[in-house]
Amino acid sequence: MSAALIAFVVSVGAGGFGSLVGIGGGLIIVPVLSVGLGHDVKEAIAASLIGVIATSLSASPRYLRSGLVDRHLGLLLLVAATLGGLAGGLTAGYLDERILALLFGLLLAGVALQMLRQMRRPNPHPPIDDADLESNFTSSYVEHESGEVVTYRARRLVPGAAVSFVAGNVSGLLGVGGGVINVPTMNVLMHVPIRVATTTSTYMLAATATASAVVYIASGQLDPVLAAPVALGVIVGARLGARLAMRVSQDVLRLAFVVVAAVFAFSMIREAVAL
Amino acid sequence: MNGQPVRPPRVASRRLTSATLTAGVLAAASCFVVAGAAEFTGRATDPGSMTDLAVLVSGLWALDPWAWASLGTFAVVATPALGLVATAWEYAQAADRSAFALALAVLAILVLSGLIAVLR
């Protein structure tokens, strides 16, 4: 099997899972391209960013049409996330990879634990009052399984935007979507329902990754022949994932996210310590 | 809630943004398919700089896989910005000033990223 075909097949799986849980697939693509297929790490990161954008572009139209994306909130967080993505793209290569890997691994472990706690002890969203209804960040969506209209208000906007800046920065530095940080931030910190958090995160990934991808392109670190099968693979996978996302329960989404975050946290910490 | 009806939210259309993103991803995918087909049929590839327009155009004409993959990559990167233009237009139509301003702010940051990347 040729390297391009392997990259394509892996990217189909990564794109499907990425759009399902709102993480963009970069967490899977980068290690496979660099460790598995022997590409330069920066080439792998750059190709992954193109895959992350493609994942978001492929899944977002369906999410937008279904009303599951909180676009107002997503745009607010994108202001911070794109600035972070630009900073990440510019600073990539100047920072110690081992420290980054360790910090990212610890962050992932913390995220997985926090999401697990939420599963075991569900925290219902705070009730909406009259003052909330005046807010631009009060929104609602229709729960596909029950047909129930769920109304919520995004809270802690400033801390949420600050974390989105960090997520954008990590995206630019490591070639991941940043959804692994955005989803729990929106869900746990800002009290946004998990389904809206995952779809809004997926919607945000394209612009976030674009801010850093242009830096990689201009500096000649992107190999389009590698990026093509990756992007094509995630486009196919993300379409499959977006179809499935409407039918999968919130608990399953949460559990899948916890498992993936825990696995990658372990592998990143191990890699950081072993370097 | 005091038994009062929930105020209907100001809703901006999402159709144009959705159509723009779909068109962009289809255009990119088409270029990638052409690149894959050209590589599969053994077309010679001559990688150059992605920012050299003359090399890119001649490569497209010669069905060079690298050139078609580059064009697809440009389509991928340009689509989020075009999507934001569509979003800003939709919010302008809905007279939602704050969302309109947010969409323009994100668009401005993407343009700034491109400028910094090129001028660096």
Side-chain angles (χ1 to χ4, degrees), chain A residues 65 69 71 128 133 136 218, chain B residues 7 10 13-14 18 90:
Chain A
R65 284 194 299 269
V69 174
R71 207 159 49 151
I128 301 294
L133 293 177
N136 281 334
Chain B
R7 189 189 68 167
R10 288 174 293 178
S13 167
R14 297 173 172 215
S18 183
E90 286 169 341

Side-chain angles (χ1 to χ4, degrees), chain A residues 167-193:
Chain A
N169 207 312
V170 169
S171 169
L173 281 171
L174 301 177
V176 299
V180 75
I181 301 171
N182 280 329
V183 172
T185 299
M186 280 190 262
N187 183 229
V188 179
L189 181 72
M190 305 179 78
H191 295 291
V192 174

Side-chain angles (χ1 to χ4, degrees), chain A residues 142-170:
Chain A
V142 179
E143 182 56 57
H144 184 77
E145 289 170 336
S146 61
E148 177 195 3
V149 177
V150 180
T151 303
Y152 63 92
R153 177 184 173 185
R155 293 160 199 273
R156 299 183 186 129
L157 297 175
V158 173
V163 179
S164 286
F165 177 86
V166 175
N169 207 312
V170 169

Side-chain angles (χ1 to χ4, degrees), chain A residues 71-72 74-80 82 136-137, chain B residues 84-85 87-109:
Chain A
R71 207 159 49 151
H72 210 141
L75 287 170
L76 175 78
L77 297 180
L78 266 176
V79 173
T82 47
N136 281 334
F137 295 97
Chain B
L84 283 165
V85 172
T87 299
W89 191 83
E90 286 169 341
Y91 278 124
Q93 295 297 304
D96 188 337
R97 287 185 196 171
S98 63
F100 174 73
L102 284 172
L104 284 190
V106 179
L107 185 62
I109 295 167

